[in-house]
């Protein structure tokens, strides 16, 4: 996971971190997405999510355009892009560009998010986000696949228009979240599902997701499942969680060294203050688990 707080804004440090991740043998690098952070105090309804105006985030598409030229092998994944607050056709174009520039190394994880202030600031409708996301997945796939798209939906109208260039290969599109409705959406429409932890509920939802994929008439063997383990869980827990994740059908496993929102997630914060400390932690995980 890209360390959102400590990575800073030095392009050389960001380059060095991504290249170190690749050289250590990791298969993918995940970046979080928030366009704006909002003050939590004095809100009604309350803002209950983990981030506020003091938490920095690099914009994933611009970041991945930069990293596409600086890495050779590693997959670049959004975990997750808050899709309903973005224009669907523009996302289709941006994702296509990253896929082309990186040689097909983009995995687009999408979700609904939680920050209604961010939605309103971007001129989008928070209350309709689940319905919008469901339709967006259909629109993205059509724009990536078809030369000309004629689409009329509840939230989108595309009148005989198309993307050029289009992706040279399918862009993996995953859903993310923690609720059963989100899992159901992913099982119906996505190529995989991204869970944000290795809490017990994740190990319960993973088999359920594969059952729902099968019920939708799709092949569970072609459906990805990702979980996240925290650095402070410790080496024994890394190995145990990884082994248990594989047993329930997990295909992807990410390692998080981030202190941001640790209190909200009720985990111990690593307390790292530099990219070098994150890389050292990654080296330790790689020696133990890769």
């Amino acid at each position: 996971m890209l360390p959102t707080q400590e990575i800073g804004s030095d392009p050389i440090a960001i380059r060095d971190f991504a290249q170190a991740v690749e050289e250590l043998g990791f298969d993918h690098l995940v970046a979080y997405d928030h366009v704006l952070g909002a003050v939590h105090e004095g809100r009604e309804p309350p803002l209950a999510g983990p981030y506020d105006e003091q938490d920095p985030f690099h914009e994933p598409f611009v970041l991945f355009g930069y990293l596409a030229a600086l890495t050779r092998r590693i997959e670049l994944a959004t975990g997750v892009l808050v899709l309903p607050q973005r224009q669907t056709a523009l996302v289709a174009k941006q994702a296509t560009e990253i896929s082309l520039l990186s040689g097909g190394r983009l995995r687009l994880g999408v979700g609904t998010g939680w920050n209604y202030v961010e939605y309103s600031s971007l001129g989008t409708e928070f209350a309709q986000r689940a319905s919008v996301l469901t339709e967006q997945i259909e629109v993205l796939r059509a724009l990536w696949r078809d030369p000309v798209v004629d689409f009329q939906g509840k939230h989108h109208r595309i009148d005989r228009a198309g993307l050029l260039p289009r992706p040279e290969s399918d862009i993996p599109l995953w859903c993310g979240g923690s609720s059963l409705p989100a899992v159901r959406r992913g099982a119906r429409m996505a190529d995989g599902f991204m869970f944000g932890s290795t809490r017990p509920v994740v190990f319960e939802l993973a088999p359920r997701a594969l059952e729902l994929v099968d019920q939708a008439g799709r092949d569970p063997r072609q459906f990805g499942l990702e979980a996240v383990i925290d650095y402070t869980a410790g080496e024994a827990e890394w190995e145990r969680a990884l082994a248990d994740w594989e047993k329930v059908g997990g295909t992807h496993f990410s390692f998080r060294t981030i202190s941001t929102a640790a209190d909200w997630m009720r985990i111990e914060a690593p307390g790292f203050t530099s990219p070098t400390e994150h890389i050292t932690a990654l080296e330790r995980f790689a020696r133990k688990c890769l």
Side-chain angles (χ1 to χ4, degrees), residues 15-272:
R15 179 202 66 186
D16 290 349
F17 180 85
Q19 291 178 342
V21 170
E22 185 171 67
E23 290 168 5
L24 285 169
F26 288 89
D27 293 315
H28 64 265
L29 175 64
V30 178
Y32 292 160
D33 170 49
H34 277 289
V35 177
L36 297 174
V39 175
H40 283 217
E41 290 74 20
R43 301 285 187 187
E44 186 57 43
L47 273 179
Y51 309 112
D52 60 23
E53 79 284 2
Q54 299 183 54
D55 294 308
F57 291 89
H58 288 281
E59 201 290 312
F61 285 138
V62 177
L63 173 70
F64 287 170
Y66 175 65
L67 295 182
L70 298 172
T71 57
R72 298 171 289 102
R73 175 191 57 80
I74 198 165
E75 181 183 62
L76 306 170
T78 57
V80 293
L81 193 80
V82 186
L83 186 58
Q85 67 186 17
R86 293 174 178 252
Q87 296 169 302
T88 312
L90 181 58
V91 169
K93 185 76 170 182
Q94 292 170 312
T96 296
E97 194 72 10
I98 298 299
S99 181
L100 292 171
L101 293 174
S102 67
R105 291 188 282 131
L106 174 67
R107 173 162 47 109
L108 188 66
V110 300
T112 57
W114 54 270
N115 190 334
Y116 66 85
V117 176
E118 189 175 23
Y119 268 82
S120 62
S121 301
L122 291 166
T124 53
E125 179 59 51
F126 183 73
Q128 297 292 317
R129 64 194 185 281
S131 174
V132 171
L133 175 60
T134 299
E135 192 169 287
Q136 284 180 300
I137 293 173
E138 184 178 355
V139 173
L140 286 173
R141 292 199 189 281
L143 288 169
W144 290 334
R145 178 188 64 235
D146 301 331
V148 176
V149 174
D150 194 352
F151 184 92
Q152 177 68 65
K154 181 180 179 181
H155 307 285
H156 296 79
R157 173 65 177 129
I158 299 178
D159 183 2
R160 297 165 297 160
L163 288 180
L164 271 181
R166 291 189 303 280
E168 294 181 351
S169 57
D170 290 340
I171 297 176
L173 197 158
W174 289 37
C175 286
S178 57
S179 68
L180 187 55
V183 172
R184 288 196 181 106
R185 183 188 303 111
R188 290 195 317 271
M189 306 186 72
D191 298 309
F193 196 87
M194 305 176 81
F195 295 98
S197 71
T198 46
R199 294 176 180 173
V201 67
V202 170
F203 292 91
E204 298 170 6
L205 285 172
R208 180 62 177 145
L210 296 178
E211 291 174 2
L212 290 167
V213 171
D214 185 60
Q215 291 171 15
R218 307 175 66 204
D219 186 354
R221 295 171 297 180
Q222 301 300 314
F223 192 81
L225 292 171
E226 179 167 335
V228 177
I229 191 74
D230 287 282
Y231 170 80
T232 52
E235 292 186 1
E237 182 64 14
W238 303 344
E239 292 185 303
R240 185 204 65 78
L242 180 55
D244 289 350
W245 187 236
E246 292 175 346
K247 290 177 184 176
V248 297
T251 59
H252 293 61
F253 197 75
S254 290
F255 185 57
R256 181 168 48 205
T257 60
I258 302 169
S259 295
T260 307
D263 289 343
W264 186 88
M265 297 177 65
R266 299 180 182 177
I267 61 173
E268 182 184 351
F272 299 147

